Amino acid sequence: MLDPRITSWILEFVLRQPAEDWMANELLFALPLPSPLSPRLKKILLLRRLSSDLSRPSLSARTLLSLELIEELERYAGAGAPSNSLAAAYAAVAVECTTRFLRERSDDDHGEDFFDAVNRIWNCRVADLERSEAAGLFSPALREARREMEEAIVNPVVRVGLTGRDTKKAALDAVRVYLEEAEKEMGPPYLEHLAKAVCEEWMSSGTGRDGSVVELYEMLRNLLASQGERGRYEGLPDDNYEDSVLGRDKDAPEQDNMEENQNQMDLKLVFSVNEGAGKGPNNDDDAIARPNLMNQDPSDLEHVEENRERASLSFVDKGTKDGNPGTTTCVGDKRDCAGAPKPSLMDWNPTARTFEWDEDSIESPSENSPDPSNKLHLPSAKRREISLPLEDNKTFVKRRRKKKWSSLEEETLRKAVERHGVGNWKFIKSCHPEIFKDRTEVDLKDKWRNMIRCI
DNA sequence: CTAGGGTTACTG
DNA sequence: CAGTAACCCTAG
């Protein structure tokens, strides 16, 4: 049985070679790996995924997720703000993931896929990012891109401009730049490092060596033993090795618990951004997906150890609905609810009827939430389910408190109907999740009915 | 999901 | 109490 420590090095070495993805996958499955994986190996796996996306070339929401996870990994490792190249790659990929729907429009698509993508990526994902601890990824470029996407929703000229721009090349280039920088920062694979160390010792040992394989083996064993004595399970040659990989500032004062965090931060924490989300059948990869090896989600790294035997963590997209807008999912602050199912726009069925309002929360919706910025877009917490027998239900089911439509809501609805036509209530609501956060699609429809009655 | 009829709450 | 806006119910 191979030492998991050694298999980590082998895997690292292979992942960083231009080997075929299938081979990397085979090894990932076949080798006994330490659990939890080291941060270094996690990052290498994520970088490999990016590299695979580049070579296909296919940038998708999973590319975005890989970048987010790398940022999170580095942040947990105590690194400072994400590098410019990481933030630039994130912004460029986010733009590409949106604008490709303009390029790939079919005849019967009137731009809905693009609008969905803007909502999904910019109104939800990037908005969540801005509020989260990962705000370091929220670069000025990303802010500007968001402004442009919002403009594109209402301005056809901007959409035409976006369609003509080669955002795919820009994103591929940005990811390539980041990958090169990350590779450089990471240094050579540890096996190479080890081989070099052995060679150097060999060269400097002078006489008394017979040059046999047995002797080489002895040297290697001594080197490994010395690593073991130092308690460095990952067997890294020196303390700076992993620091350099994760972008840790070696000169920065070491936090007392940093080492502990490093060791205890298991994959559940690192890759928790996906956990619990995307459970519905309409889930697609643009929605943040639940860990699922079959979907080759980067977060699946968490479950590599236990799932290797029954599923394949592939670097190759095997044909998920990449790019299909699917469900409009909006996650909350994923850092605040790690491990818990994440609410989404779809979690609240606005047409559900067996609910009643929590009067207190209506009166003071934010009183019980010290930090409203961490809250989700929709007031799902204001409702609670009633599960009484049908005959008793009508006694308890209350109507929502009447709330007069504001002029902003009215104006937004008017413009949205002009733009998207009558009858697309759900879509209109999804285009303005904040403005219509207290309204259902039916409310929009009813309001429009009232508005045209007045004319 | 939407349309359209029904119900409720509010206002003058 | 009538008119109206907001909200609910349900067939298709």
Side-chain angles (χ1 to χ4, degrees), chain A residues 72-121:
Chain A
E72 191 171 4
L73 200 52
E74 291 178 347
R75 179 154 39 83
Y76 274 111
S83 68
N84 289 339
S85 61
L86 178 59
Y90 188 83
V93 172
V95 168
E96 162 59 10
C97 286
T98 318
T99 56
R100 69 175 180 201
F101 291 106
L102 289 174
R103 291 198 305 271
E104 298 164 2
R105 263 173 78 164
S106 57
D107 293 339
D108 56 345
D109 172 16
H110 302 293
E112 286 87 350
D113 287 351
F114 173 73
F115 295 136
D116 274 351
V118 171
N119 181 42
R120 194 170 56 250
I121 294 175

Side-chain angles (χ1 to χ4, degrees), chain A residues 123-183:
Chain A
N123 288 347
C124 296
R125 190 169 192 148
V126 172
D128 287 337
L129 188 78
E130 186 181 12
R131 290 192 296 262
S132 74
E133 295 168 20
L137 278 180
F138 196 83
S139 59
L142 194 67
R143 184 187 301 275
E144 172 58 22
R146 181 165 75 172
R147 194 203 55 75
E148 190 172 20
M149 294 300 157
E150 285 167 352
E151 179 70 18
I153 285 284
V154 294
N155 190 342
V157 177
V158 177
R159 287 202 292 276
V160 170
L162 281 174
T163 311
R165 199 189 303 168
D166 194 350
T167 55
K168 182 168 189 177
K169 182 177 183 305
L172 289 170
D173 287 347
V175 172
R176 193 172 293 116
V177 166
Y178 168 67
L179 269 179
E180 284 168 2
E181 189 180 293
E183 282 282 323

Side-chain angles (χ1 to χ4, degrees), chain A residues 318-332:
Chain A
K318 289 181 193 160
T320 53
K321 293 195 304 171
D322 184 15
N324 190 325
T327 302
T328 303
T329 301
C330 188
V331 295

Side-chain angles (χ1 to χ4, degrees), chain A residues 11-273:
Chain A
L11 189 62
E12 180 202 354
F13 183 77
V14 173
L15 289 174
R16 296 181 63 187
Q17 303 301 313
E20 297 282 338
D21 285 339
W22 66 266
M23 187 187 295
N25 282 327
E26 290 294 319
L27 267 179
L28 191 63
F29 270 78
L31 294 174
L33 294 172
S35 181
L37 296 179
S38 70
R40 177 182 173 85
L41 196 52
K42 289 174 202 166
K43 183 170 177 179
I44 287 166
L45 283 161
L46 291 167
L47 291 174
R48 172 70 193 213
R49 273 201 68 90
L50 287 178
S51 174
S52 180
D53 290 347
L54 263 187
S55 61
R56 282 172 9 216
S58 169
L59 299 173
S60 68
R62 276 203 300 274
T63 317
L64 271 185
L65 183 56
S66 295
L67 293 166
E68 287 170 2
L69 290 170
I70 287 172
E71 184 279 336
E72 191 171 4
L73 200 52
E74 291 178 347
R75 179 154 39 83
Y76 274 111
S83 68
N84 289 339
S85 61
L86 178 59
Y90 188 83
V93 172
V95 168
E96 162 59 10
C97 286
T98 318
T99 56
R100 69 175 180 201
F101 291 106
L102 289 174
R103 291 198 305 271
E104 298 164 2
R105 263 173 78 164
S106 57
D107 293 339
D108 56 345
D109 172 16
H110 302 293
E112 286 87 350
D113 287 351
F114 173 73
F115 295 136
D116 274 351
V118 171
N119 181 42
R120 194 170 56 250
I121 294 175
W122 300 92
N123 288 347
C124 296
R125 190 169 192 148
V126 172
D128 287 337
L129 188 78
E130 186 181 12
R131 290 192 296 262
S132 74
E133 295 168 20
L137 278 180
F138 196 83
S139 59
L142 194 67
R143 184 187 301 275
E144 172 58 22
R146 181 165 75 172
R147 194 203 55 75
E148 190 172 20
M149 294 300 157
E150 285 167 352
E151 179 70 18
I153 285 284
V154 294
N155 190 342
V157 177
V158 177
R159 287 202 292 276
V160 170
L162 281 174
T163 311
R165 199 189 303 168
D166 194 350
T167 55
K168 182 168 189 177
K169 182 177 183 305
L172 289 170
D173 287 347
V175 172
R176 193 172 293 116
V177 166
Y178 168 67
L179 269 179
E180 284 168 2
E181 189 180 293
E183 282 282 323
K184 198 174 167 186
E185 191 181 2
M186 186 168 284
Y190 180 57
L191 272 187
E192 278 185 34
H193 193 94
L194 192 65
K196 195 177 167 199
V198 169
C199 275
E200 281 171 359
E201 181 151 348
W202 187 274
M203 300 292 282
S204 62
S205 59
T207 55
R209 299 281 182 183
D210 61 11
S212 69
V213 174
V214 174
E215 191 182 87
L216 250 181
Y217 177 75
E218 272 301 312
M219 286 178 64
L220 201 51
R221 216 168 62 164
N222 290 338
L223 258 175
L224 296 182
S226 69
Q227 297 294 335
E229 281 165 17
R230 287 158 60 195
R232 296 196 53 86
Y233 183 71
E234 290 310 314
L236 299 174
D238 60 57
D239 289 339
N240 292 334
Y241 200 81
E242 186 153 327
D243 290 354
S244 66
V245 170
L246 293 170
R248 240 185 321 214
D249 183 356
K250 291 187 286 291
D251 297 327
E254 187 96 357
Q255 292 169 21
D256 290 340
N257 58 351
M258 184 178 290
E259 190 71 22
E260 191 183 359
N261 285 345
Q262 273 292 302
N263 294 331
Q264 293 186 351
M265 178 185 66
D266 82 346
L267 287 157
K268 185 161 282 186
L269 203 54
V270 174
F271 295 103
S272 62
V273 287

Side-chain angles (χ1 to χ4, degrees), chain A residues 357-373:
Chain A
W357 292 100
D358 180 330
E359 299 292 300
D360 294 337
S361 67
I362 292 174
E363 295 300 327
S364 52
S366 60
E367 272 183 13
N368 295 327
S369 49
D371 184 3
S373 68

